Amino acid sequence: MEPHAQTADSGPQAAPFASPSIDAVGVEERVARLCSRSIKKEAKLQALHLALSMIDLTTLEGADSEGKVRQLCAKALQLHAALPDLPHVAAVCVYPALVGVAKRALEGSGIHVASVATSFPAGQAPLEIKLLEVKRAVEAGADEVDMVISRGRFLAGDLAYTADEIASVKEACGDAHLKVILETGELGALDAIRRASDLAMRSGADFIKTSTGKIKPAATMPVVLVMLEAIRDHYLRTGQRIGMKPAGGISTAKDAIRHLVMVRETLGQDWLDPDLYRFGASSLANDVLRQIVKQRSGIYQSFDDFSM
Amino acid sequence: MSESRAVAAANRLPVLKTHKVYVGGKFPRSESGRFDRALAPDGTPIANVCRCSRKDVRDAVTAARAAQAGWAARTAYNRGQILYRIAEMLEGRSAQFEALLAAGGATPEAAAAQVRAATDRLVHYAGWTDKYGQVFSTVNPVASSHFNFSILEPTGVVGVLAPESPLLGLVSATAPAIAGGNTTVVLVTGSQPLPAVTFGEVLNSSDVPGGVVNILTGRREEMLAPLAAHRDVDALVLCTADPDVARSAEIEAVHNLKRVAVRPHEDWANVQSPYEITDLQEVKTTWHPIGS
């Protein structure tokens, strides 16, 4: 490993620090190799079940209502009536104003309620307001908070501000888990994504997350690989296991399995767990269900057979 | 000089074209990477064709489903224009199709007649697109204060087992489906696949939106059952004279109660009728309250 990667490593105050630079061509090639793995039959079914248990069922629209959130929670509680033995999804992810509704609907199910906060998706609000939003979400019952970093400040080179912001939000979260959204589609080069990942992990993130889902490109494979490698290096340095959540753009079971292969090959078996890996997605669950039914029945399924 | 040219020609390795399939407006190879040889009647190989798998069937159904709403939303008039455009393009390439049919064993006269008939058939259904609705929709007498009417809507995604007749049968089975706003997945499994895959090239240059017609080549025993069982396919057109083939496909089709039309014709010269369109339509009846 490059010697400079070892240097600054003493908590959030350590920024600015040096992250290793990323070989973009090498990342592409590694991804292409991992995508060529063939996962079939029993292994595929197992991967599909695992993927299902890692989904954060998400609705983040301006038009979200209590009814829409209750409907989504009903879906989380019963993914497909014909298959009662399925695992449940990891969490339901909503806006702060709807956390209470989701919390009541999911009472006692073991499904977490996640809330985006900190002026999602742009993050362009004063810090006090962001912190208040986080506190309100946690008071309403959010088990997990998905924050966005201030990309404007980060891209302008104000790493200290970004680190402080993440640390303050972490403090406001209390016991709730903190996922830090880097919004990789706005960060540009893989080097910046690696730097942001390192920064977020050193500043108190429990999870790092690619995107809000509002910007394209979102969770592309190369971006996720770079973040996974950052998590691996962080673990090797500190022994801390940080979770990963790709979000946006993963809509097919095939994509999900490719992601799982990449996680397994980069971080190992431990990360194949909803506590350390999540998919942020709204339409992925139905495609995974479709594939599970196909795998069990041998018949290709229609989306018409699955609830919204 | 000419002698050396003849020797060079004799030594030359022939270049056999691999005809690719037509899915979603593109020409991919089979995902399986497999191919079959298309043979002339005397057994000499004349081309390679893709031998598609059930996954190609799945991908084609996905493409057809994605295209269906947009195609059905086109005005009937526009669908007619596009069908007529297919006829224009086919007419322009008639010499190529005649050569392909002749290579498959047809006499030059029969090949020319078949290309003409296929072109005319497209024009026939182009004309029907904005008329079958008027002819077959009804205003129904009811014994209450309601205005009651029935209109036709496309069934959705139609799977077509193409007939042995390499061009005319294919056109006769597919044109009524797309004239009525359906999208199609066509399985070409006969001994002469070349006119069908070349017809894909005609479709691609005829303003037909990608995914409206998807043409797969391969073996019936590998592709028909997955297509017939696929829950996202709404209807089947089975062009086969073999009752066992039709029966086994119909049994697979019960999973989502597909509409099934069996077309056992060997001679397709006269198979043209608006009922070929209405076989692939659903009737929607509306009760609209009116004052006494």
Side-chain angles (χ1 to χ4, degrees), chain A residues 230-284:
Chain A
I231 291 172
R232 181 193 60 200
D233 294 347
H234 184 82
Y235 171 70
L236 293 175
R237 270 199 308 264
T238 65
Q240 256 186 316
R241 288 164 208 264
I242 305 293
M244 172 70 200
K245 177 174 171 183
I250 303 171
S251 58
T252 67
K254 191 172 201 167
D255 288 343
I257 291 175
R258 285 175 170 171
H259 277 271
L260 292 179
V261 168
M262 197 159 71
V263 175
R264 171 68 182 75
E265 293 298 321
T266 311
L267 293 169
Q269 198 70 33
D270 288 0
W271 265 262
L272 293 181
D273 186 309
D275 286 341
L276 286 172
Y277 200 80
R278 296 285 181 83
F279 291 109
S282 46
S283 56
L284 172 63

Side-chain angles (χ1 to χ4, degrees), chain A residues 40-41 44 254 290-291 294 298-305, chain B residues 54-55 57-58 62 65 226-227 229-232 234 252 255:
Chain A
K40 301 284 178 206
K41 313 261 168 172
K44 180 174 182 184
K254 191 172 201 167
R290 215 162 62 116
Q291 299 308 323
K294 155 70 178 66
I299 295 168
Y300 289 118
Q301 302 294 306
S302 165
F303 278 115
D304 294 348
D305 299 331
Chain B
R54 63 192 162 84
K55 292 193 174 180
V57 171
R58 174 199 65 188
T62 304
R65 174 56 65 195
L227 180 72
H230 199 308
R231 293 183 59 92
D232 217 14
D234 303 301
E252 296 288 350
H255 293 292

Side-chain angles (χ1 to χ4, degrees), chain B residues 159-165 169-170 172-174 189 220 236-242 245-246 261-265 268:
Chain B
V160 179
L161 175 65
E164 184 64 26
S165 169
L170 173 88
S172 305
T174 310
T189 60
R220 190 187 66 218
L236 286 180
V237 176
L238 302 170
C239 303
T240 173
D242 182 343
V245 170
V262 180
R263 310 260 187 260
H265 319 291
W268 289 81

Side-chain angles (χ1 to χ4, degrees), chain A residues 169-192:
Chain A
V169 172
K170 172 69 181 167
E171 202 182 329
C173 280
D175 290 337
H177 273 238
L178 175 64
K179 303 193 199 109
V180 177
I181 303 173
L182 308 180
E183 194 63 301
T184 52
E186 290 186 338
L187 296 186
L190 293 175
D191 285 319

Side-chain angles (χ1 to χ4, degrees), chain B residues 259-281:
Chain B
R259 225 165 248 294
V260 179
V262 180
R263 310 260 187 260
H265 319 291
E266 294 207 351
D267 178 8
W268 289 81
N270 297 313
V271 186
Q272 96 178 359
S273 144
Y275 292 106
E276 303 268 323
I277 302 176
T278 58
D279 279 352
L280 301 170
Q281 298 286 308

Side-chain angles (χ1 to χ4, degrees), chain A residues 64-142:
Chain A
D64 285 352
S65 61
E66 294 196 5
K68 171 95 187 282
V69 170
R70 273 198 294 269
Q71 183 205 0
L72 195 73
C73 293
K75 169 93 179 169
L77 290 167
Q78 189 182 48
L79 283 165
H80 189 51
L83 297 176
D85 58 330
L86 292 174
H88 64 65
V89 297
V92 168
C93 184
V94 295
Y95 272 119
L98 294 161
V99 166
V101 178
K103 192 72 187 170
R104 278 191 297 282
L106 297 171
E107 199 82 68
S109 65
I111 300 171
H112 287 185
V113 176
S115 171
V116 295
T118 70
S119 189
F120 180 93
Q124 299 283 18
L127 185 60
E128 310 88 79
I129 291 173
K130 293 184 183 179
L131 296 178
L132 188 64
E133 192 184 6
V134 171
K135 283 180 188 142
R136 287 281 184 275
V138 174
E139 280 164 19

